[in-house]
Structures are given as C-alpha cells and as structure tokens.
Amino acid sequence: MCGRVAQHKRAVEYGSMLKIKFPKGPPNAPAHYNGAPGQDYLIARSDPRTHDTTLDLIRWGLLPSWAKDRKMAWNMINARSESVATAAAFKEAFAKRRCLVPVDKFYEWRKVSKEKLPYMIAMAGVEPFTLAGLWENWKDPESGEWIRTFTIITTRANELVSALHDRMPVIIAPEDRDRWLNGPNPHKLAKPYPSHLMTIWPVSPKLNAVKNDTPDLMEPIEEKEPKANEGELPGVNEAARDEPANSE
C-alpha cells in the first residue's frame, strides 16, 4: 500500500517539472514531510476540454460520487491496479479522471520484534517524481459542499520495496505522464518501477506519529538489525490508528 508521502517543494517547482503554467499564480500548498491521508496535496490534472495540465490542492482519500458520507474516504486511500478499471469505486475515475501526484519520497515500514521501523524511498537522484492517481468530485448531501478527493494506485512491489512490503505505488515515468493523463491503454503503465532507478534509507521512528512533520524526519539514520533470538517479522506500511485504511 501507500500510506505516507513527502511533498514538500513549492508548487512552482512541481509546476516546472510538469510544464504547468500558473496564469493566476500557484496554489498556496503546505509542505508535507510526513504526509498522511486526510490532508490536502498538490495534484496534476488534465482539463478535459483543452488538455492543459493544472496543479490543484485536493484531499487524499477518494470519495466516489455516490458515497453517502465522508467516512468512505478512509477506506479509499489506495486502489489496486489489477482491479481499478472494474471496481465500482474507481472505474469511472479511471476512465475519465486520472491524475498525477508529485512527491519527493514515500515511506514504508518493516517490523523488527515489537518495533516499526520506517524507511524512505526515493528516486536514485532524489529528484521529485509522480505517482499514478485518480480524482473525484463529491457533493456533501447535508451541506451541499463540493469536495475533490484522490487515491493513489498501487501495484506489486519491485525488488527494492519487496523487502518491506508486497505492494508499492505506481510510479509514472516522465515520458509517460501525458499518456497517463490523456492517452490510450493507461493500464499498461501500472507496473512496478525499475529498482535500479530508486534508492532507500532508514529514517527516524518519530515518523510513525503523524503529528511529527518536520524536515529532519527525512534524514538517514543507522539501520537497526534484529537480535539473533528475535527474528524479523514481515514489513508493513504502518499508519496511525486514526488514519484511513487501505482499500486493498
């Protein structure tokens, strides 16, 4: 799954990477060093009429148009690539409302004894990259308020990430971004990203708490190994107990 990301650069920097112009000025986005579901993120979308790409603030945790209330978003932070084209909650968005989620890193966890140890995963050059996503419009039946939400698509883990978890977010390469937003056969892009183009390092356990959201969380620490008599448990992407669950 994918339950934490870092998106901490300015909107103009992501805009430059994605060739987006801001005729009315860039959105004022908060920096996320330990970003979790339920928060607002910069999302790249394509205008269906002009095919111009825009960068907008949208909330993580997808609400299908037919959702009865906001609680459903807590189960829709991820969508499996294998079923995204047919699942009731995602199929319409997959056909019409694909998006890109620009990030700087994402996190995964492994369990060693009773501890949950976070790792940061990034591009080998530590440059920003884009995750495959879907977005939706949802109208609150009580207030009449329109809310835009998104989900991140996952696939099986590559060799690098599989040491921690069996799933990873779908990463869209620079040359495939336009195709993901507007082109044919987008499902063919939903595959594991090459391991040799990525890197990973252990980070502070302070990242386990969503309330901690500072730049120092991304700094590498010395990797902790399990004691000989403890053994190692399978890795998990561990979010806080009051965060959304993964739709996987």
Side-chain angles (χ1 to χ4, degrees), residues 37-219:
Q39 301 170 341
D40 292 339
Y41 296 81
L42 292 166
I43 303 301
R45 304 180 298 157
S46 180
D47 186 303
R49 296 163 299 179
T50 65
H51 291 288
D52 289 337
T53 305
T54 63
L55 201 60
D56 308 289
L57 277 172
I58 299 181
R59 190 161 301 164
W60 188 3
L62 187 137
L63 283 169
S65 59
W66 41 264
K68 294 182 180 180
D69 56 47
R70 303 184 189 214
K71 295 179 181 178
M72 190 173 185
W74 300 94
N75 295 317
M76 297 291 165
I77 68 168
N78 291 159
R80 293 178 68 92
S81 61
E82 296 87 345
S83 57
V84 69
T86 56
F90 305 121
K91 61 182 181 180
E92 186 173 350
F94 180 72
K96 301 178 181 179
R97 287 179 289 278
R98 297 186 296 276
C99 63
L100 294 167
V101 186
V103 298
D104 301 285
K105 296 97 180 172
F106 66 93
Y107 300 97
E108 265 297 353
W109 277 254
R110 71 178 175 117
K111 277 189 177 180
V112 177
S113 186
K114 296 181 180 180
E115 293 187 84
K116 304 177 184 72
L117 305 179
Y119 287 73
M120 177 164 283
I121 303 167
M123 292 293 103
V126 201
E127 70 273 15
F129 54 104
T130 50
L131 307 181
L134 310 173
W135 70 275
E136 269 289 4
N137 281 313
W138 180 77
K139 186 175 183 180
D140 190 317
E142 295 185 1
S143 67
E145 177 188 7
W146 282 97
I147 299 175
R148 288 172 178 162
T149 60
F150 75 93
T151 188
I152 292 172
I153 299 175
T154 67
T155 185
R156 68 185 187 278
N158 62 19
E159 293 85 352
L160 183 78
V161 180
S162 63
L164 304 175
H165 200 281
D166 62 354
R167 306 288 296 180
M168 68 178 291
V170 172
I171 298 172
I172 302 297
E175 64 271 19
D176 292 325
R177 288 168 182 160
D178 288 340
R179 179 180 168 187
W180 174 256
L181 291 177
N182 299 302
N185 302 317
H187 61 278
K188 292 185 177 180
L189 301 176
K191 56 188 177 183
Y193 202 70
S195 291
H196 70 278
L197 299 178
M198 303 178 70
T199 188
I200 186 171
W201 64 88
V203 290
S204 171
K206 292 192 298 182
L207 191 133
N208 292 349
V210 175
K211 65 181 180 180
N212 298 325
D213 193 13
T214 52
D216 61 291
L217 295 176
M218 302 187 299
E219 296 177 2

